[in-house]
């Protein structure tokens, strides 16, 4: 969108402008009947069901809704969105599908008072489960899927140059740009150009042909709408079909996505979420209330059909798409991609640009909107209108957050706080089973907080004392860390204790990042001291968090003597937690 590009901010920086809801979340123990594992099927199809059937915990799903509803109010000054549709699931079960707020609330924006001018109450339209949204940049995923289909069929080469299909594209130093670079935003294109100012389609194309890269192709990551617009032109050239026809014939038709298309008909308008009162100077075009037409100016200038924006869809259709990809490209009896092609969409091609991980079309491992769902293989995308889709193959879970956050004006929303909050809650809803028994120490998932698990003073003076336990961690890399520390002066000063986990040495005594979301056996040699204090300390920064850290099965032994064993009730009672409340999961 024009205002986002003009600001000079990256999408990650925009996401960092707003924080998730402050404070530690209320933590709960396991329910009396623990949630069952997500149903195992190689090709599940979707149906509504309970959290238990999905293998999810009910309390975090309830918080997902209440947290989302908080953003209907000041966030911090204006509502982040007028309304939203939330959908969360795991396996073949959609455990949460909830509309909140209004799909159509404002008829205009009053810039003098910075207020929205509301429709009369009887003309306002509440959100519904099947409300259709302008997906904005989530549309890029559909263009990418169509491109990967053509790569699979041999009509496109991943490393082939764009100019080999579109000779006109090779002007202005773009002759070496490849299809892969378009899909991973490493072509060198700047973020956008106002194509809508060109009066004819041919002149719009000429602007693209004459556009010179800001960086040599492959040398930098820069998110750009021009990449997917160019890919659209490639697809239309090699297939001889318009992009909207390709979408219908290759994806939405076969999968039965009846509420997903470009340029929805006028009859859909009452079921579509309104977007912006689009007027200069905040919009590139004077259009008034945009409702039922594409919001993005360049997509509008291209007739509503564009590679970077323009697709309208609903939460259920996006969930079916998510399930198709998590299934390896098949839904029911319909296959749109082979598993190895889907794998390319979940594989990081941007290893040279840490922090900008990207598969073919999909963004990977982005905490700024994926929150605690983020793993190196978690894939997703956001849209400027307030939309997002996140798929986590590690837990077989998926999240759709569709909001009309530019209604009535784009300046009312900032960052991705609602997306992060929803993703954190869904991640928390996936249970981590203790190694033994029903409880394990859990760090929690609050930002700007320190949690501590402390053992009682131990006499390790005989020497050769060792700590053994099970460790599970998934944190925001580098920003949040879990440290094992010891004190020999009554807690005045602390030093890290090196340890070994999963066959790897951690000389700094700390772990950060992603460990596979599995338990790891840990051993550590402890200093000899008559009153040794030992603790785990987990610290988070003020922005995003991962799924947290768990410690279970603590045992300290020297020779044949057991100094501490969490499994013994007397010892377990003496474990102290400081910071937020530790809990079973």
């Amino acid at each position: 969108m024009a205002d986002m590009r003009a600001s000079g901010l990256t999408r990650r920086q925009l996401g960092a402008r707003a924080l998730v809801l402050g404070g530690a979340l209320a933590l709960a123990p396991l329910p009396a009947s623990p949630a069952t594992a997500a149903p195992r099927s190689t090709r599940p199809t979707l149906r509504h069901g309970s959290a238990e059937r999905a293998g999810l915990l009910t309390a975090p799903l309830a918080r997902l809704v209440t947290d989302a509803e908080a953003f209907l109010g000041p966030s911090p000054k204006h509502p982040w969105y007028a309304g939203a549709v939330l959908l969360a699931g795991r396996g073949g079960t959609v455990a949460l599908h909830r509309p909140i707020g209004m799909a159509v609330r404002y008829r205009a924006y009053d810039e003098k008072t910075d207020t929205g001018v509301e429709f009369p109450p009887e003309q306002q339209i509440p959100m519904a489960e099947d409300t259709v949204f302008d997906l904005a940049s989530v549309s890029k995923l559909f263009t990418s899927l169509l491109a990967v289909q053509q790569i699979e069929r041999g009509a496109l080469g991943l490393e082939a140059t764009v100019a080999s299909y579109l000779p006109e594209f090779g002007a202005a130093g773009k002759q070496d740009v490849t299809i892969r670079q378009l899909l991973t935003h490493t072509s060198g294109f700047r973020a956008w150009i106002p194509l809508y100012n060109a009066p004819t389609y041919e002149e719009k194309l000429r602007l693209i042909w004459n556009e010179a890269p800001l960086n040599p192709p492959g040398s930098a990551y820069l998110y750009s709408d021009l990449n997917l617009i160019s890919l659209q032109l490639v697809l239309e050239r090699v297939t001889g079909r318009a992009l909207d026809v390709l979408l219908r014939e290759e994806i939405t038709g076969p999968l039965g996505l009846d509420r997903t298309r470009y340029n929805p008909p006028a009859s859909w308008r009452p079921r579509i979420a309104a977007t912006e009162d689009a007027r200069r100077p905040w919009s590139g075009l004077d259009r008034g209330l945009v409702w039922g037409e594409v919001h993005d100016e360049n997509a509008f200038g291209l007739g509503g059909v564009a590679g970077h924006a323009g697709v309208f869809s609903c939460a259920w259709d996006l969930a079916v798409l998510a399930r198709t990809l998590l299934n390896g490209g098949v839904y029911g009896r319909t296959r749109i991609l082979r598993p190895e092609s889907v794998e390319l969409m979940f594989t990081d091609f941007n290893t040279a640009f840490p922090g900008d991980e990207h598969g073919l079309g999909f963004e990977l491992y982005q905490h700024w909107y994926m929150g605690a769902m983020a793993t190196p293989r978690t894939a997703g995308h956001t849209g400027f209108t307030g939309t997002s889709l996140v798929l986590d193959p590690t837990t077989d879970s998926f999240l759709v957050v569709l909001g009309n956050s530019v209604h009535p004006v784009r300046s009312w929303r900032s960052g991705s706080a609602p997306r992060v909050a929803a993703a954190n809650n869904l991640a928390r809803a996936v249970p981590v089973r203790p190694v033994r028994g029903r409880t394990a120490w859990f760090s929690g998932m609050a930002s700007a907080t320190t949690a501590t698990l402390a053992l009682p003073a131990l006499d390790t003076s005989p020497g050769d004392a060792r700590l053994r336990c099970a460790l599970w961690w998934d944190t925001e890399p580098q920003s949040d860390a879990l440290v094992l520390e010891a004190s020999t002066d009554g807690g005045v000063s602390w030093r890290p204790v090196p340890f070994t986990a999963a066959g790897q040495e951690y000389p700094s005594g700390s772990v950060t990042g992603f460990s596979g979301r599995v338990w790891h056996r840990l051993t550590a040699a402890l200093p000899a001291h008559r009153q040794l204090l030992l603790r785990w300390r987990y610290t988070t920064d003020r922005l995003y968090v991962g799924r947290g850290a768990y410690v279970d099965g603590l045992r300290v032994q020297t020779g044949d003597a057991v100094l501490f064993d969490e499994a013994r009730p007397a010892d377990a009672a003496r474990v102290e937690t400081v910071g937020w409340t530790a809990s079973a999961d």
Side-chain angles (χ1 to χ4, degrees), residues 143 228-237 243 302 305-307:
T143 308
L228 276 295
I229 295 173
S230 300
L231 192 59
Q232 168 192 2
L233 300 174
V234 172
L235 287 168
E236 292 180 338
R237 181 71 60 87
L243 188 65
L302 291 167
V305 180

Side-chain angles (χ1 to χ4, degrees), residues 471 473 482 484 496-512 514-515 520-523:
L471 193 63
W473 73 92
L482 176 69
L484 178 62
V497 177
F499 58 80
T500 300
Q504 181 176 342
E505 295 183 357
Y506 294 87
S508 66
S510 67
V511 290
T512 186
F514 182 69
S515 72
H520 299 280
R521 289 293 178 184
L522 174 145
T523 60

Side-chain angles (χ1 to χ4, degrees), residues 12 15-18 20 367-368 420 476 480 541-546:
R12 182 187 303 277
R17 277 185 161 187
V20 296
H367 285 81
W368 67 271
V420 171
E476 184 189 5
D480 304 335
D541 68 359
R542 68 183 188 89
L543 284 177
Y544 313 114
V545 296

Side-chain angles (χ1 to χ4, degrees), residues 204-288:
K204 290 176 172 61
L205 293 185
R206 193 172 299 116
L207 288 174
I208 297 174
W209 307 150
N210 294 336
E211 180 70 14
L214 289 180
N215 308 294
S219 66
Y221 172 90
L222 178 59
Y223 179 82
S224 173
D225 289 347
L226 298 177
N227 289 315
L228 276 295
I229 295 173
S230 300
L231 192 59
Q232 168 192 2
L233 300 174
V234 172
L235 287 168
E236 292 180 338
R237 181 71 60 87
V238 301
T239 66
R241 290 175 284 173
L243 188 65
D244 56 342
V245 175
L246 278 171
L247 179 68
R248 181 177 68 250
E249 294 181 350
E250 302 290 354
I251 297 178
T252 62
L255 291 177
L257 308 184
D258 297 331
R259 300 189 69 80
T260 302
R261 59 169 293 163
Y262 288 100
N263 288 328
S267 61
W268 283 26
R269 194 169 187 252
R271 305 297 289 179
I272 296 176
T275 53
E276 187 175 37
D277 180 9
R279 289 181 281 125
R280 293 184 176 94
W282 57 85
S283 174
L285 298 170
D286 287 315
R287 298 171 61 194

Side-chain angles (χ1 to χ4, degrees), residues 9 23 31 44 47 63 71 145 265 318 338 340 365 375 410 435 473 492 534 553 564 576:
L9 293 172
R47 59 179 173 176
R63 285 196 298 273
F71 291 101
L145 281 165
L318 289 179
R338 294 198 297 258
E340 54 268 30
Y365 209 18
T375 77
R410 65 190 70 186
V435 171
W473 73 92
V492 176
L534 194 65
F564 180 90
E576 177 188 9

Side-chain angles (χ1 to χ4, degrees), residues 343-381:
E343 186 66 21
L344 295 176
M345 308 189 86
F346 291 83
T347 298
D348 181 22
F349 284 86
N350 285 1
T351 54
F353 313 112
D356 293 312
E357 292 83 351
H358 219 287
L360 297 187
F362 275 93
E363 297 169 332
L364 305 173
Y365 209 18
Q366 300 298 309
H367 285 81
W368 67 271
Y369 71 91
M370 297 175 180
M373 289 183 70
T375 77
R377 286 178 55 79
T378 301
H381 215 286

